[in-house]
């Protein structure tokens, strides 16, 4: 079972490397982020048009870097490269096993960087098409063209309306960005939970294999135990038979009995040891049940996180729809105000002509 965000975010390139981060104190030394080589992958989110570099070590994400057009991957040696992430406020370094792997990662970084640049330009063009210029031609300019006095109060109520609409738009935009940030944080939590789940599944598989092997050993030990018990009974019968034949325990019979007694004690000690091993194996079964319970809890946490992500996505869609309707209402308001301005301009122009005519009549 995979979360919904993993369905829309797909890996496009993966390679194994040793991960390092710059020392925040000195800004010069490298600190290892992983004890051994881990998988470093490029991911693409088609819904948000975002490229990311992600690497999970153990139960936590050691790299979660969003690629931007301003980033640069620099090869500092034959098998080592680095890039700076201003959002994470750190510098990541990768050590590869071969020069070929370093070159492949560098080429992929350039391709993803160029794709991120094109995606940003496309997004900006789309935004400019959706959001036309907010400024409306001032009535003052209209009055100058028609040689009429400036109108100072025509645009008063409409200015307040536009400011209110603009404030609503800014609030909706900030809400949308906040929800996207929450979705991004939820994605990081899901990555960590997935890594934890994979670790538990791996440990569970090992314990199941060990339990299967132990059960096989228990069957063998039980079989040996039955053979030892049969051997003990046979030796006891031999002791009783020898005592009956000798009519009493003589010197040679005493030595034989001591040897048989020692053999019996050794067999009993061996039986106790096998019983202890069987008891230990049964106790390990309870550990496996606890791990299974932890795995089920992790799966439940993943399911809850999926539900939360779905709710957040619905909120984002609702905010986008509200934003679109607000833009449409604003465009309609602009058209209505422009029409009112045009009508008032025509009336003022006619009024000026009437005033001039009256002035001429009065002068006559």
């Amino acid at each position: 079972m995979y979360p919904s965000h993993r369905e829309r975010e797909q890996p496009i390139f993966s390679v194994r490397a040793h991960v390092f981060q710059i020392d925040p104190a000195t800004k010069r030394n490298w600190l290892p982020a992983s004890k051994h080589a881990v998988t470093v992958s490029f991911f693409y989110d088609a819904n948000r048009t975002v490229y990311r570099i992600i690497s999970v070590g153990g139960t936590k994400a050691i790299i979660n870097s969003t690629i931007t057009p301003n980033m640069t991957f620099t090869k500092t040696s034959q098998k080592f490269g680095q890039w700076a992430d201003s959002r994470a406020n750190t510098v990541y370094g990768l050590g590869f096993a071969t020069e070929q792997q370093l070159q492949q990662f560098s080429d992929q970084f350039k391709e993803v960087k160029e794709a991120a640049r094109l995606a940003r330009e496309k997004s900006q063009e789309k935004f400019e098409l959706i959001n036309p210029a907010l400024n409306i031609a001032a009535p003052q300019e209209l009055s100058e063209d028609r040689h009429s006095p400036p109108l100072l109060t025509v645009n008063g109520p409409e200015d307040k309306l536009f400011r209110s609409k603009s404030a609503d738009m800014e609030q909706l935009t900030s809400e949308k960005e906040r929800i996207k940030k929450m979705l991004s944080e939820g994605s990081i939590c899901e990555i960590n939970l997935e890594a934890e789940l994979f670790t538990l599944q791996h440990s569970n598989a090992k314990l199941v294999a060990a339990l299967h092997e132990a059960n096989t050993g228990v069957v063998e030990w039980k079989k040996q135990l039955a053979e030892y018990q049969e051997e003990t009974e046979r030796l006891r019968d031999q002791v009783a038979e020898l005592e009956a034949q000798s009519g009493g325990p003589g010197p040679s019979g005493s030595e034989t009995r001591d040897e048989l007694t020692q053999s019996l004690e050794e067999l009993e000690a061996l039986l106790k040891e096998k019983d202890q091993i069987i008891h230990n194996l049964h106790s390990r079964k309870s550990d496996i049940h606890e791990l299974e319970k932890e795995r089920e809890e992790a799966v439940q946490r993943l399911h809850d996180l999926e539900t939360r992500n779905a709710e957040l996505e619905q909120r984002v869609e609702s905010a986008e729809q509200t934003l679109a309707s607000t833009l449409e209402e604003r465009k309609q308001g602009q058209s209505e105000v422009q029409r009112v301005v045009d009508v008032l301009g025509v009336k003022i122009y006619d009024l000026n002509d009437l005033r001039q005519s009256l002035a001429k009549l009065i002068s006559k």
Side-chain angles (χ1 to χ4, degrees), residues 246 249-257:
S246 61
S252 60
S254 177
E255 293 177 0
T256 304
R257 187 175 62 180

Side-chain angles (χ1 to χ4, degrees), residues 247-314:
S252 60
S254 177
E255 293 177 0
T256 304
R257 187 175 62 180
D258 291 339
E259 292 177 359
L260 293 174
T261 303
Q262 184 178 359
S263 299
L264 288 173
E265 290 176 354
E266 292 177 355
L267 288 172
E268 289 176 355
L270 184 60
L271 289 174
K272 290 181 179 180
E273 182 181 355
K274 299 297 182 181
D275 288 338
Q276 184 63 35
I277 292 174
I278 293 172
H279 178 72
N280 293 337
L281 289 173
H282 284 299
S283 63
R284 289 182 64 182
K285 286 185 178 179
S286 62
D287 296 337
I288 293 175
H289 291 313
E290 291 178 359
L291 286 173
E292 182 67 21
K293 183 178 179 181
E294 291 179 1
R295 185 181 69 83
E296 292 177 356
E297 291 177 354
V299 171
Q300 183 63 33
R301 288 168 61 190
L302 283 175
H303 178 71
D304 295 341
L305 203 50
E306 287 179 11
T307 305
R308 181 187 173 193
N309 274 352
E311 294 176 354
L312 290 175
E313 288 176 355
Q314 291 179 357

Side-chain angles (χ1 to χ4, degrees), residues 44 46 48 53 70 114 155 169 228 267 285 343 350 354:
Y44 174 62
R48 295 186 295 165
I53 299 177
N70 299 327
E114 180 64 18
N155 211 23
M169 284 180 53
Y228 293 151
L267 288 172
K285 286 185 178 179
V343 172
D350 295 339
L354 182 58

Side-chain angles (χ1 to χ4, degrees), residues 34-310:
S34 60
K35 296 181 180 180
H36 50 78
V38 295
T39 301
V40 181
S41 302
F42 287 85
F43 281 86
Y44 174 62
D45 188 342
N47 289 351
R48 295 186 295 165
T49 319
V50 172
Y51 294 87
R52 293 197 298 166
I53 299 177
I54 296 176
S55 179
V56 178
T59 59
K60 65 178 182 178
I62 56 179
I63 297 180
N64 184 15
S65 179
T66 301
I67 304 299
T68 64
N70 299 327
M71 287 185 177
T72 302
F73 182 77
T74 305
K75 293 187 287 186
T76 56
S77 67
Q78 294 181 349
K79 298 180 181 179
F80 192 88
Q82 65 184 51
W83 78 94
D85 189 339
S86 58
R87 294 184 179 180
N89 193 24
T90 188
V91 179
Y92 294 105
L94 297 179
F96 298 90
T98 63
E99 297 181 21
Q100 182 182 4
Q101 291 179 347
L102 173 60
Q103 186 61 42
Q104 290 175 350
F105 187 90
S106 178
D107 295 340
Q108 188 65 39
F109 195 98
K110 292 178 182 178
E111 293 180 6
V112 169
K113 174 183 172 182
E114 180 64 18
R117 184 186 66 81
L118 295 175
R120 174 177 291 184
E121 292 179 356
K122 185 177 180 181
S123 177
Q124 289 177 351
E125 292 176 358
K126 183 178 179 181
F127 182 79
E128 291 174 358
L129 291 174
I130 295 177
N131 298 273
L134 297 178
N135 295 329
I136 303 175
Q140 186 173 356
E141 298 177 356
L142 181 63
S143 63
E144 289 176 357
D145 294 338
R146 299 195 178 191
H147 306 286
S148 60
L151 302 176
L152 300 179
T153 60
V154 172
N155 211 23
E158 287 74 13
D159 267 344
K160 294 181 180 180
L161 174 63
F162 294 149
R163 288 175 184 174
S164 177
K165 297 288 186 180
S166 178
D168 293 340
M169 284 180 53
E170 291 177 359
Q171 183 178 0
L172 288 172
T173 304
S174 62
E175 178 69 14
K176 182 178 178 182
E177 293 297 328
R178 185 179 68 83
I179 293 174
K180 285 184 177 180
K181 183 178 179 182
M182 292 172 63
L183 282 173
S184 177
E185 293 175 354
S187 298
I188 296 174
C189 293
E190 288 181 4
I191 292 172
N192 294 338
L193 286 174
E194 279 187 0
E196 182 180 353
L197 177 61
F198 293 154
T199 303
L200 288 173
Q201 288 177 343
H202 183 64
S203 301
N204 188 28
K206 286 185 176 180
L207 288 174
V208 169
L211 179 62
H212 180 70
E213 182 179 356
N215 287 333
T216 305
V218 167
V219 173
E220 293 293 330
W221 290 331
K222 286 183 177 180
K223 184 177 179 181
Q224 292 180 5
L225 179 62
E227 293 177 354
Y228 293 151
Q229 288 176 344
E230 291 179 359
E231 182 69 15
T232 301
E233 294 298 329
R234 188 178 63 82
L235 290 174
R236 284 177 180 173
D237 292 341
Q238 287 183 359
V239 170
E241 184 179 353
L242 288 173
E243 288 181 352
Q245 290 178 356
S246 61
S252 60
S254 177
E255 293 177 0
T256 304
R257 187 175 62 180
D258 291 339
E259 292 177 359
L260 293 174
T261 303
Q262 184 178 359
S263 299
L264 288 173
E265 290 176 354
E266 292 177 355
L267 288 172
E268 289 176 355
L270 184 60
L271 289 174
K272 290 181 179 180
E273 182 181 355
K274 299 297 182 181
D275 288 338
Q276 184 63 35
I277 292 174
I278 293 172
H279 178 72
N280 293 337
L281 289 173
H282 284 299
S283 63
R284 289 182 64 182
K285 286 185 178 179
S286 62
D287 296 337
I288 293 175
H289 291 313
E290 291 178 359
L291 286 173
E292 182 67 21
K293 183 178 179 181
E294 291 179 1
R295 185 181 69 83
E296 292 177 356
E297 291 177 354
V299 171
Q300 183 63 33
R301 288 168 61 190
L302 283 175
H303 178 71
D304 295 341
L305 203 50
E306 287 179 11
T307 305
R308 181 187 173 193
N309 274 352

